[in-house]
């Protein structure tokens, strides 16, 4: 049973199980996200290798995003999510096993950093299509905001807990928790009885030609829809800034803020981003009731760009944490707003393809590119200067958005907005 538009989506038992599963899996992923760069940094002491971890984590979207989107639109989304969780649990478990039986090496960490998100690409392709089917299009923004808010709570609480745990435990030991959360998530997703895909839709037999045709259909929609196209370009530029920052975040906290890589202060700075994310997730549904997705993007982007330039320059850890939280509010509003908008306007048969294509460009190309650039530039420019160079892509995103169809949609009369006509055409093809 799906909640009606007048009811909270949390009253839908299928969505609630999905939410708990995603939150558990997300908790483990946060631990891994923090631990893998620290593991490499402690083994090698290299800023470039530490940045390479972030690049490995984002690269799978660029490599496999289009194929994963096309395949998950054909497959049973529940089966895809369960399989990805089970395989992810086994993969992450190899690092604690290596720590207990031999030693952890940098190549091993980089392989896990790449293969784990590769499974995540297929998981996300199923997730993007499952949300509209589970809750209905009227509740997409609410469902995304609740899921993002739960993840933000994880990101607030876990970094401090991880920072304190690292005083007593080896980084590899903490990855056992990630493996357990993957297993729990798989069990919960398997128990969901609500629909996650249109089981009545027939597909032609899968061949290379059919697969390429499916990919082209998803890309064609993304490119032809002015709102989706612009938000994807803007998201890619913003991810260049964000990916570069996160790639050097552990190094920045250690060297620029003199906090180290463990303890409460490390956790508070690392978790500050999540505080802003929680505020953004709570605020977005209210903002969407008062304004359009296009207007929200245009207003949030300048704040995000300015904050991205300020944060690396702050020299005191507590002030840096506050500035990081402010940046996160604007940055996260843009992300959730863009994902929700894309899910609303995309027809159900294209949901996996369009959303993974968008994420391939923003996360795969943008985040990976930012992380790679960070690793290349940090040796010559230093940590803070490299972060400033990459943060400037946020300024480019502002210029693109304010000269794009988003601005024309906001300025057009209410009954003649291009975004409205595109949305109608997309939902009712």
């Amino acid at each position: 049973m799906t909640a009606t538009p007048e009811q909270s989506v949390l009253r839908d038992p299928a969505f609630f199980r999905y939410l708990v599963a995603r939150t558990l899996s997300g908790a483990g992923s946060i631990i891994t996200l923090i631990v893998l760069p620290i593991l490499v940094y402690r083994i090698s002491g290299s800023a470039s290798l530490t940045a390479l971890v972030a690049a490995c984590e984002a690269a799978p979207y660029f490599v496999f995003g289009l194929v994963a989107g096309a395949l998950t639109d054909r497959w049973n989304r529940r089966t895809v999510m369960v399989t990805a969780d089970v395989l992810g649990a086994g993969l992450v478990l190899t690092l604690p096993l290596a720590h207990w039986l031999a030693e952890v090496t940098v190549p091993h960490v980089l392989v896990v950093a790449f293969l784990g998100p590769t499974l995540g690409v297929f998981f996300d392709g199923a997730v993007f299509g499952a949300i509209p089917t589970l809750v209905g299009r009227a509740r997409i923004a609410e469902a995304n905001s609740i899921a993002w808010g739960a993840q933000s709570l994880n990101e607030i609480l876990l970094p401090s807990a991880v920072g304190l745990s690292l005083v007593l435990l080896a980084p590899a030991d903490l990855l056992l928790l990630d493996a357990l959360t993957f297993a729990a998530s798989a069990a919960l997703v398997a128990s969901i009885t609500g629909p996650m895909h249109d089981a009545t839709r027939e597909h032609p037999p899968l061949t290379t030609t059919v697969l390429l045709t499916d990919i082209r259909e998803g890309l064609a929609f993304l490119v032809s829809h002015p709102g989706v196209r612009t938000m994807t370009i803007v998201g890619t530029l913003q991810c260049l800034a964000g990916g570069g920052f996160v790639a050097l975040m552990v190094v920045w906290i250690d060297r620029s803020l003199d906090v180290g890589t463990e303890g409460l202060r490390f956790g508070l700075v690392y978790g500050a981003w999540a505080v802003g994310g929680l505020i953004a997730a709570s605020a977005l549904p209210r903002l969407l009731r008062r304004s359009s997705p296009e207007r929200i993007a245009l207003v949030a982007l300048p704040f995000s760009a300015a904050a991205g330039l300020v944060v690396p320059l702050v020299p005191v850890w507590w002030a840096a944490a506050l500035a990081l939280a402010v940046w996160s509010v604007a940055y996260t509003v843009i992300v959730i707003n863009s994902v929700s908008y894309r899910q609303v306007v995309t027809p159900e048969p294209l949901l996996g393809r369009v959303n993974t294509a968008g994420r391939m460009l923003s996360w795969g190309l943008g985040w990976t590119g930012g992380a790679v650039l960070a690793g290349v530039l940090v040796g010559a420019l230093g940590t803070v200067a490299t972060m400033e160079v990459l943060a400037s892509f946020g300024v480019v995103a502002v210029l693109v958005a304010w000269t794009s169809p988003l601005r024309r949609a906001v300025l057009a009369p209410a009954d003649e907005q291009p975004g409205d006509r595109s949305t109608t055409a997309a939902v009712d093809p």
Side-chain angles (χ1 to χ4, degrees):
M1 178 179 178
T2 301
T4 65
E6 292 77 22
Q7 296 174 331
S8 171
V9 73
L10 286 173
R11 297 183 63 180
D12 182 347
F15 173 75
F16 187 77
R17 290 188 183 189
Y18 160 85
L19 176 65
V20 175
R22 183 169 170 179
T23 302
L24 283 173
S25 182
S29 297
I30 291 169
I31 294 172
T32 302
L33 183 69
I34 298 172
V35 167
L36 292 188
I38 292 174
L39 200 53
V40 168
Y41 188 54
R42 287 190 179 183
I43 293 171
S44 67
S46 168
S48 296
L49 284 175
T50 304
L52 184 58
V53 175
C56 287
E57 290 173 331
Y61 252 104
F62 182 70
V63 178
F64 303 112
L66 294 178
V67 173
L71 292 175
T72 54
D73 275 338
R74 302 173 62 90
W75 294 342
N76 184 313
R77 290 172 180 142
R78 182 184 293 102
T79 302
V80 172
M81 293 167 69
V82 171
T83 303
D85 271 339
V86 170
L87 293 177
L91 177 68
V92 172
L93 191 59
T94 63
L95 284 172
L97 287 176
H99 174 66
W100 299 332
L101 300 177
E103 66 174 351
V104 179
T105 64
V106 171
H108 187 178
V109 177
L110 294 178
V111 168
V112 172
F114 180 81
L115 292 182
T118 297
L119 295 170
V121 174
F122 288 88
F123 185 91
D124 281 357
V127 164
F128 286 134
I131 280 283
T133 310
L134 270 176
V135 305
R137 293 181 185 271
R139 288 298 189 186
I140 287 176
E142 181 190 1
N144 281 331
S145 293
I146 290 173
W148 205 282
Q151 182 71 351
S152 295
L153 283 175
N154 277 336
E155 293 171 1
I156 291 170
L157 299 174
L158 287 174
S160 295
V162 170
L164 291 172
S165 298
L166 287 170
V167 177
L168 302 173
L169 299 174
D173 290 335
L174 290 175
L175 295 175
L176 178 61
L177 291 175
D178 191 11
L180 293 175
T181 58
F182 272 128
S185 173
L188 281 166
V189 172
S191 71
I192 295 174
T193 56
M196 291 190 180
H197 69 291
D198 183 0
T200 65
R201 192 170 72 249
E202 296 184 358
H203 297 281
L206 183 61
T207 64
T208 302
T209 301
V210 170
L211 181 63
L212 293 175
T213 299
D214 287 349
I215 291 173
R216 282 196 297 270
E217 288 177 356
L219 286 173
F221 180 88
L222 185 151
V223 172
S224 63
H225 192 291
V228 174
R229 180 181 66 244
T230 303
M231 288 197 182
T232 301
I233 295 171
V234 167
T236 301
L237 291 168
Q238 185 173 241
C239 279
L240 279 165
F245 180 85
V246 170
L248 296 174
M249 192 171 179
V250 171
V251 181
W252 174 67
I253 293 174
D254 179 40
R255 297 180 182 178
S256 298
L257 302 182
D258 196 26
V259 166
T261 61
E262 62 187 23
L264 182 60
R265 290 188 301 168
F266 173 84
L268 290 174
V269 176
Y270 207 104
W273 184 268
V275 175
L278 181 60
I279 295 171
S282 302
L284 183 62
R286 297 181 180 88
L287 293 174
L288 285 170
R289 287 195 287 270
R290 294 178 174 86
S291 187
S292 67
E294 295 91 344
R295 187 182 299 275
I296 290 171
L298 291 178
V299 172
L301 277 164
F303 285 99
S304 178
L309 291 168
V310 169
V311 168
L313 301 176
V314 181
V316 182
W317 73 269
W318 60 266
L322 290 174
L324 196 57
V326 171
W327 184 16
S328 176
V329 172
Y331 190 103
T332 308
V333 161
I334 296 165
V335 171
I336 306 177
N337 180 57
S338 177
V339 171
S340 299
Y341 175 82
R342 201 161 55 216
Q343 289 174 320
V344 167
V345 303
T346 303
E348 195 278 336
L350 298 175
L351 279 167
R353 281 169 278 176
V354 173
N355 282 284
T356 52
R359 193 160 169 81
M360 181 206 74
L361 293 170
S362 59
W363 176 259
L365 178 61
W367 199 273
T368 305
V372 170
L373 281 174
V376 170
L377 296 176
V378 68
L381 301 181
T383 305
V384 173
T386 299
M387 287 177 161
E388 287 294 308
V389 170
L390 291 166
S392 64
F393 283 105
V395 178
V396 179
V398 175
L399 297 175
V400 170
W402 277 84
T403 56
S404 74
L406 295 183
R407 182 170 179 269
R408 292 194 291 274
V410 169
L411 295 177
D415 58 345
E416 296 183 6
Q417 289 193 3
D420 291 343
R421 290 198 297 270
S422 298
T423 298
T424 301
V427 176
D428 299 310

